[in-house]
Amino acid sequence: MLRVIESGWFIRGTEDRAFEEKFAAYCGVSHCVGVGNGLEALSLILKGLVALKRLQPGDGVVVPSNTFIATWLAVMSAGLLPVPAEPDEGNFLISASTVREALGKAEAFGIRVRAILAVHLYGRLCPMLTLAKLACERNLVLLEDAAQAHGAALADVAGNVLRAGHLSMAAGFSFYPGKNLGALGDGGAVVTDDVKLAQVVRELGNYGSSQKYVHLHVGENSRLDEIQAAVLMLKLKTLDSDNARRGQIAARYLTEIKNDSVRLPPPATACGKLSDCVWHVFPVHSAFRDELQRHLKELKIETLVHYPVPPNLQPAFAGDSMPRPLKSLGSLPIAERLAKEELSLPLFPQMTNAEISAVIEAVNSFKPCRGA
C-alpha cells in the first residue's frame, strides 16, 4: 500500500497489470481485466457480447432461480432477459436437466435464449462439463458467475485440471472483502481466453475508451484500483492454502454434525490437491431454520442466511418492474423453499479447532419445537 501511495499512480497502473497477469495465469486463461466489483464483472461481459453482436438486446439468459440478485441485475443491465432455472435439490446448483426445463418454458413463451450464466453458488462448481455439452448442442454462450468460487477446480474428460474461470467463454469474479479472495473494499475481474471480448470489456469499463478522449462505446467507469490490486496480489499467494483449510473445516462439519433436523450439503469432490468446492460458505438446510438460528445466537454463534428472498420475489421486480415475459414463466417453488430453509454456519480459514467444535456441539444440541 505504501508503494502504491508513494508511486502517485492509483488506477490501471503497474500493480493492476501485474495482478491481472497473475490471476489470469492462476485461472488458466490468457486474459484478465480488473473491474470495480463482481456485479460489473458480469454486466460488462454481457454488454461486451452485445457490443460484439454475439447477443442481441432482448435475448434470454438462463440464470439460477436461487442466486444472489446481482446475477439477475447484470443480465437486465445489459438489456437482456433473465430466464430462471430451478436448482438441483441435491447440490443447490443448476444442471443440464434444469436448464433444459427452463429452455422449454422460455420457448413456449417466445423468448429467444442465447446464453447460460452458471453460478458456482456457495463455492461449489456447477456441472460445467454437461452444461458445456448442452450449450454446444443448443448453440448457446456459456458463462460463469464465479464470485464465490475462487480456486475451485474440476477435471475434464481428458483429465486436465481446470479452475473456475476456465470452464466457459468468460467468468466474472468478485473480490468483495468476504470472498475467498477478498480485497480491502470492492473489486472484481473478468477472465477469458477470448481476446476480442477482453478488449471490449476493458474499453467498456474505461468510459468506452482504449485511447484517452477517444470513446468507441457508450461505456462506464469500472476499474480495479492500484491499492486493491496490490492487496489481492499478496493474498493470492495463500488462496489455495486458505481454501484447503476451509475444506478441513467443512470435513469436520460433514462428519461430526449429526442432527436429523439439519440437512448437510454434499461433500466436495477432490481434484488432485484442489477441489470442486472451496466452501465460500457452509450452507445447511432445516425446516426449522429460524428456530435453529435463534438457538445458535443464544450460544453466541453468528450465522447468516444466503439468501432470505429469492430474486423473483424482490420488491425491485414487483409490479411493472418485472419484464412481462419473465412474469409468464411462473413460480419458482424450489428456490422459494430453499430461501426459507438455508442457514450458513461459520467457516473461515482462521477458525480454531475449539471454535469449530463449539459450532458442531451447538448444532447437535438443537432440538426443534416440532409442535409449535
Side-chain angles (χ1 to χ4, degrees):
M1 292 171 67
L2 287 173
R3 182 175 70 244
V4 173
I5 293 168
E6 290 168 357
S7 76
W9 194 286
F10 301 105
I11 295 174
R12 282 196 170 175
T14 57
E15 304 287 347
D16 186 42
R17 287 193 294 273
F19 173 72
E20 288 179 345
E21 182 178 344
K22 185 68 73 172
F23 193 63
Y26 177 86
C27 294
V29 299
S30 53
H31 301 283
C32 171
V33 182
V35 299
N37 55 63
L39 169 58
E40 290 168 357
L42 298 176
S43 66
L44 286 169
I45 291 170
L46 294 165
K47 290 174 182 178
L49 291 171
V50 172
L52 293 169
K53 302 189 183 305
R54 300 180 192 174
L55 297 177
Q56 300 294 327
D59 281 349
V61 179
V62 173
V63 294
S65 59
N66 62 322
T67 183
F68 181 55
I69 195 173
T71 314
W72 288 39
L73 293 177
V75 173
M76 296 180 74
S77 73
L80 305 167
L81 185 68
V83 174
E86 289 273 63
D88 183 298
E89 293 196 70
N91 60 14
F92 323 121
L93 305 171
I94 62 170
S95 66
S97 175
T98 64
V99 170
R100 283 193 186 93
E101 292 178 13
L103 292 173
K105 285 186 179 181
E107 183 177 354
F109 288 99
I111 300 171
R112 179 177 180 264
V113 175
R114 297 296 302 124
I116 302 169
L117 180 49
V119 179
H120 304 316
L121 194 65
Y122 307 142
R124 185 182 302 273
L125 292 180
C126 290
M128 295 302 291
L129 301 184
T130 55
L131 287 176
K133 182 179 179 182
L134 174 61
C136 184
E137 291 171 356
R138 301 292 185 95
N139 194 28
L140 303 175
V141 173
L142 179 60
L143 305 168
E144 298 166 77
D145 179 342
Q148 301 181 3
H150 314 71
L154 56 75
D156 66 11
V157 292
N160 301 307
V161 176
L162 305 176
R163 293 187 195 261
H166 193 193
L167 300 168
S168 65
M169 177 183 288
F173 284 89
S174 168
F175 302 130
Y176 181 78
K179 303 299 185 185
N180 292 41
L181 180 61
L184 299 183
D186 270 327
V190 172
V191 301
T192 182
D193 277 325
D194 189 312
V195 62
K196 290 183 179 179
L197 180 58
Q199 180 62 29
V200 77
V201 165
R202 190 176 297 279
E203 292 166 351
L204 286 169
N206 191 41
Y207 300 96
S209 171
S210 59
Q211 178 183 348
K212 196 168 185 178
Y213 303 134
V214 178
H215 303 273
L216 306 174
H217 314 280
V218 178
E220 57 195 77
N221 178 9
S222 181
R223 302 173 297 197
L224 182 65
D225 72 67
E226 288 285 276
I227 286 180
Q228 300 301 348
V231 169
L232 289 165
M233 177 71 94
L234 184 65
K235 296 180 73 175
L236 182 59
K237 296 177 182 179
T238 62
L239 177 56
D240 284 345
S241 60
D242 286 346
N243 284 343
R245 176 58 178 162
R246 288 175 181 270
Q248 292 170 358
I249 297 167
R252 282 200 61 189
Y253 284 167
L254 289 168
T255 55
E256 297 179 43
I257 292 177
K258 300 182 185 300
N259 189 318
D260 291 341
S261 301
V262 179
R263 177 187 171 196
L264 300 174
T269 300
C271 184
K273 294 182 179 180
L274 304 177
S275 166
D276 72 337
C277 183
V278 291
W279 301 105
H280 173 59
V281 299
F282 189 89
V284 300
H285 289 76
S286 175
F288 309 95
R289 190 267 309 283
D290 294 344
E291 192 178 344
L292 172 60
Q293 188 172 39
R294 287 193 296 270
H295 169 78
L296 295 176
K297 185 176 181 180
E298 290 171 358
L299 296 174
K300 303 189 184 310
I301 293 172
E302 183 181 9
T303 57
L304 292 173
V305 175
H306 296 93
Y307 300 95
V309 182
N312 66 302
L313 298 182
Q314 292 289 348
F317 299 142
D320 294 334
S321 299
M322 177 80 80
R324 188 175 300 278
L326 189 54
K327 291 180 182 178
S328 303
L329 294 176
S331 64
L332 301 167
I334 297 176
E336 292 170 18
R337 186 177 73 255
L338 292 176
K340 297 176 181 178
E341 296 178 348
E342 196 277 343
L343 189 67
S344 298
L345 302 182
L347 194 156
F348 53 97
Q350 296 78 21
M351 281 186 79
T352 66
N353 289 332
E355 289 170 334
I356 300 165
S357 295
V359 174
I360 293 168
E361 291 169 9
V363 175
N364 286 341
S365 68
F366 172 63
K367 296 179 180 179
C369 298
R370 298 177 185 271

